[in-house]
Amino acid sequence: MAYQRSLVSLLAMLVLYLRFSLSYRLSSTSFRLQRPSSSCLRPFSIRPHGAKPIFGRGKRHTDLIRMQGLSPLLSDMEKRASFDKTHPRWKKHTKQIATVGPASSSIEMLESLFLAGVDVFRLNFSHGSHEEKAKIVKLIRELEKKFDHPIGILADLQGPKLRIGKFKEGAIVLERGQRFVFDMQVEELGDEQRVSLPHPEIISTLREGDILLLDDGKLRLRVLSSPSSPSSTSSPSPERVECEVLVGGRLSDRKGVNTPSIVLPISPLTAKDRSDLVAALDMNVDWVALSFVQRAEDMHELRGLVGSRASIMAKIEKPAAVQSLSDVVAASDACMVARGDLGVECAPEEVPIIQRKIIDECRRMGRPVVVATQMLESMIEHPVPTRAEASDVATAVFDGADAVMLSAESASGKYPIESVQMQQRVIDRVEESEHYFSMVKSRVSADISRDHLAYDAISQAASSLALEMQAQAVICFTSTGGTVSRASRMRMTVPIVALTPRIRIARRMSLFWGVYPTFMTMEPNDTFDNMLKRACRLAEIQGFATDPKDLFIVTAGLPFGQKGAANVVRILPASGPQAWIDPSSDSHTEWSSSSSETD
């Protein structure tokens, strides 16, 4: 029996070894275990000795998550594979956002989603209590501490929900061509002729010819008469709107109302939103998203409440916001293409065009942009997406989006891990394709905004130098993230290692395309040369260089910590500013750093 147990144990160890070798595809190489100094983020990093990481352009990696017959969480071996810094999970340019919900709120699932590719977690304040959200934030921060990697948290406010009242029978059927009335008689239940619409701002704003959409656009009505624009055929009441049904169907209690043809004179923040906002800021979230933005003034109102405690994101889902897009983008720190309601209020064939328009405008102004809603909708119920959904994700990546987002797929779906991993696989495949970088760099380069000349000049110089010198990474020192966001929009072909002494800035930068945010302490008495040495050491440990001859492009602003300062560009070898290695020689010939650095 003892012999049999030993044989079984030996066979089990052999199986584990073979799985380990297959997962890493490193059976013919040796490993080097690196232990960083205390100033570095990662506890350890394993990579093949001599392997040269390629940022977002490596060979397609072996799936860490099987698409069928999958265990609910990542195995320990799969987690170690994802923890390898040369793994595509860490090297992708386009970021991933996942919504946390009942299917993904445990610490085990959050960890698995993070290791599968999630860079930012979204909290949907339309559902759940503040206590539940605070618990999730605490778990995410524990996860961040465990892996010493900044993780962003996005608080998504519900915004004003416009709904009709209730019916006597619970539902009615509207026929095409019939007339139907909306009024303010909230106490009376509706019938086949009328229903309450407890929103005086809608009734007072609608005019003859305006369109009302009900139940996510399934029913469509045209206004015949209203208090502000009475028709000649009726005598309107100051509290009612008469409509003609253009597209009929079943209409039940409390269905939503959309008003695509008007700008409502209401605050974008309801009483619930204001309460949620206070709670979210107390939780120290990094981003706050505002729903149903109509104009730039909506974002100014949010900015006044948030201050500098978080960055703000405009959700573009109203035609009015599209019409004033430049002003809305300028008033925001980032934008989201919220295609759910946008697809309700705009024609379906217009949504792809609007998506590209929003992405281009955000790129032009240096604002991160997120593409969201129904990206992998079928994976709520199935372990694989449709081909059209995979193409949808790929299109967003090709368009140059900073991030793609999952909603119900990760919040309440049956396959949250598979959804994240599938999204990452599409990102990896697109980014390693032949024409990806030429496409994303050419989209808006000719029309890029130059409102921050120093930032832009430094970023452009760094991008050109990285390409010419075949650098392994661009290292940016930043205190506010301003230079990094401008560098990100250049869509460099190498990673941007963003070093900041402020953990909250590092978390916010986790949303930026191509940016690897790193928290690095900066002592008051640190010299510039010492900071450069530490920066090179951090980048090397994180897997961005494997040879002393590798080069980094470093940007900084002197004096350190001065907001808006961007005045230094340097070319440094991975070994640090104290020595230059002659790239044409195998011997370690030292060059004078003072004569070889570019300021």
Side-chain angles (χ1 to χ4, degrees):
M1 290 297 293
Y3 171 79
Q4 291 177 341
R5 285 196 298 269
S6 298
L7 182 59
V8 170
S9 299
L10 182 61
L11 289 174
M13 292 175 64
L14 180 60
V15 169
L16 286 174
Y17 173 78
L18 291 175
R19 286 185 61 198
F20 181 86
S21 300
L22 179 61
S23 297
Y24 287 102
R25 297 182 298 160
L26 299 171
S27 57
S28 61
T29 60
S30 59
F31 287 87
R32 178 172 64 186
L33 179 64
Q34 297 182 326
R35 295 191 179 277
S37 63
S38 59
S39 63
C40 292
L41 288 176
R42 299 269 179 190
F44 63 84
S45 174
I46 300 177
R47 70 166 180 262
H49 182 69
K52 201 141 186 168
I54 301 176
F55 191 74
R57 284 185 156 187
K59 294 181 179 179
R60 186 175 180 180
H61 65 284
T62 303
D63 283 345
L64 296 179
I65 300 177
R66 295 173 301 278
M67 298 311 299
Q68 297 184 9
L70 177 76
S71 58
L73 300 174
L74 294 181
S75 68
D76 290 340
M77 187 169 297
E78 289 168 336
K79 289 179 180 179
R80 291 187 65 190
S82 293
F83 194 62
D84 174 14
K85 296 288 242 343
T86 64
H87 188 273
R89 182 265 175 268
W90 304 107
K91 303 303 180 185
K92 56 183 166 59
H93 291 77
T94 307
K95 301 305 182 70
Q96 293 176 260
I97 303 175
T99 304
V100 181
S104 52
S105 57
S106 68
I107 184 62
E108 295 81 9
M109 183 59 76
L110 290 170
E111 179 175 337
S112 293
L113 292 176
F114 168 69
L115 292 176
V118 173
D119 301 285
V120 177
F121 286 101
R122 170 180 175 253
L123 305 181
N124 185 359
F125 276 81
S126 297
H127 310 286
S129 66
H130 293 169
E131 291 73 21
E132 292 171 345
K133 296 293 187 292
K135 180 180 178 181
I136 294 170
V137 170
K138 182 179 179 182
L139 294 177
I140 294 172
R141 295 308 183 211
E142 290 176 0
L143 190 63
E144 180 182 71
K145 184 177 180 180
K146 176 179 179 179
F147 290 99
D148 283 328
H149 186 82
I151 302 174
I153 298 178
L154 167 65
D156 196 337
L157 303 180
Q158 175 177 287
K161 289 290 187 180
L162 308 176
R163 300 183 183 278
I164 62 172
K166 295 183 178 182
F167 293 95
K168 295 177 182 177
E169 304 298 329
I172 63 169
V173 175
L174 293 179
E175 301 291 343
R176 179 179 179 181
Q178 83 170 76
R179 297 196 174 192
F180 192 75
V181 171
F182 297 95
D183 57 39
M184 290 291 296
Q185 300 177 37
V186 181
E187 298 80 10
E188 295 187 22
L189 296 178
D191 54 29
E192 289 78 5
Q193 282 75 45
R194 58 154 297 278
V195 73
S196 65
L197 181 61
H199 300 284
E201 64 277 6
I202 297 180
I203 291 179
S204 63
T205 306
L206 286 171
R207 291 180 174 272
E208 181 180 351
D210 283 331
I211 298 297
L212 281 179
L213 302 176
L214 305 176
D215 193 8
D216 291 333
K218 296 183 179 68
L219 290 83
R220 185 181 184 92
L221 296 86
R222 180 176 59 214
V223 175
L224 297 178
S225 66
S226 68
S228 58
S229 182
S231 73
S232 59
T233 59
S234 61
S235 300
S237 162
E239 294 186 344
R240 73 195 298 270
V241 171
E242 185 176 1
C243 300
E244 177 188 5
V245 178
L246 301 180
V247 178
R250 186 176 184 272
L251 182 63
S252 57
D253 294 342
R254 302 287 299 161
K255 288 300 181 182
V257 179
N258 292 86
T259 56
S261 57
I262 62 174
V263 177
L264 295 176
I266 59 173
S267 168
L269 293 158
T270 65
K272 170 179 166 51
D273 292 330
R274 293 174 185 272
S275 173
D276 291 342
L277 178 60
V278 171
L281 293 176
D282 288 342
M283 298 174 201
N284 292 320
V285 300
D286 308 296
W287 290 88
V288 176
L290 182 60
S291 301
F292 303 111
V293 173
Q294 299 184 97
R295 49 191 174 260
E297 289 76 12
D298 295 344
M299 298 308 296
H300 294 321
E301 183 177 347
L302 178 63
R303 178 87 67 186
L305 296 172
V306 173
S308 61
R309 299 177 67 183
S311 295
I312 61 174
M313 179 183 296
K315 295 176 66 176
I316 311 297
E317 49 195 334
K318 299 281 290 183
V322 177
Q323 293 171 6
S324 57
L325 183 61
S326 295
D327 292 337
V328 171
V329 173
S332 310
D333 297 316
C335 290
M336 180 188 295
V337 188
R339 302 178 303 176
D341 279 273
L342 188 63
V344 171
E345 301 204 7
C346 299
E349 66 272 15
E350 292 293 330
V351 174
I353 309 302
I354 294 173
Q355 174 175 309
R356 298 195 73 173
K357 179 180 179 180
I358 296 171
I359 292 174
D360 286 351
E361 186 64 20
C362 288
R363 285 276 311 279
R364 191 181 71 83
M365 291 195 178
R367 305 293 196 273
V369 56
V370 180
V371 176
T373 317
Q374 297 176 336
M375 300 218 78
L376 298 174
E377 186 83 357
S378 67
M379 292 193 73
I380 296 174
E381 296 291 337
H382 305 287
V384 293
T386 66
R387 304 303 179 263
E389 289 169 339
S391 295
D392 184 34
V393 176
T395 297
V397 178
F398 270 123
D399 282 349
D402 287 77
V404 288
M405 192 179 91
L406 296 174
S407 299
E409 300 96 330
S410 59
S412 57
K414 296 179 181 179
Y415 302 94
I417 299 176
E418 293 91 329
S419 298
V420 172
Q421 185 65 15
M422 174 54 69
Q423 206 174 51
Q424 187 206 341
R425 289 173 58 190
V426 175
I427 291 171
D428 292 341
R429 184 64 187 90
V430 170
E431 291 183 353
E432 70 184 14
S433 64
E434 181 180 358
H435 303 293
Y436 171 68
F437 281 99
S438 61
M439 288 179 62
V440 297
K441 287 176 74 68
S442 65
R443 285 289 303 279
V444 292
S445 58
D447 190 36
I448 203 164
S449 172
R450 303 289 182 181
D451 52 334
H452 292 285
L453 294 180
Y455 288 171
D456 294 324
I458 291 292
S459 299
Q460 186 63 57
S463 180
S464 299
L465 285 170
L467 184 63
E468 184 69 22
M469 303 296 294
Q470 298 183 350
Q472 296 301 300
V474 171
I475 301 175
C476 292
F477 289 95
T478 182
S479 59
T480 64
T483 305
V484 175
S485 70
R486 312 297 284 192
S488 173
R489 73 171 178 168
M490 298 289 180
R491 298 306 192 244
M492 300 183 187
T493 56
V494 297
I496 301 170
V497 182
L499 304 179
T500 179
R502 302 168 64 186
I503 185 61
R504 299 187 68 171
I505 297 300
R507 291 166 177 163
R508 295 178 195 179
M509 291 190 298
S510 62
L511 182 65
F512 295 176
W513 184 99
V515 172
Y516 193 98
T518 303
F519 173 67
M520 178 176 129
T521 58
M522 297 183 184
E523 301 298 331
N525 297 326
D526 267 348
T527 65
F528 188 37
D529 274 358
N530 188 47
M531 297 292 289
L532 294 177
K533 291 177 185 178
R534 293 174 61 196
C536 291
R537 177 58 178 159
L538 276 169
E540 191 276 332
I541 288 175
Q542 291 174 352
F544 294 112
T546 57
D547 192 298
K549 299 178 184 179
D550 290 338
L551 296 178
F552 296 133
I553 309 299
V554 180
T555 73
L558 296 180
F560 276 121
Q562 179 66 43
K563 182 178 180 180
N567 48 32
V568 175
V569 178
R570 293 200 176 189
I571 306 171
L572 294 179
S575 52
Q578 74 281 0
W580 270 85
I581 308 302
D582 185 349
S584 63
S585 171
D586 291 334
S587 62
H588 288 190
T589 304
E590 294 189 2
W591 296 355
S592 169
S593 62
S594 61
S595 63
S596 303
E597 293 169 353
T598 302
D599 283 324

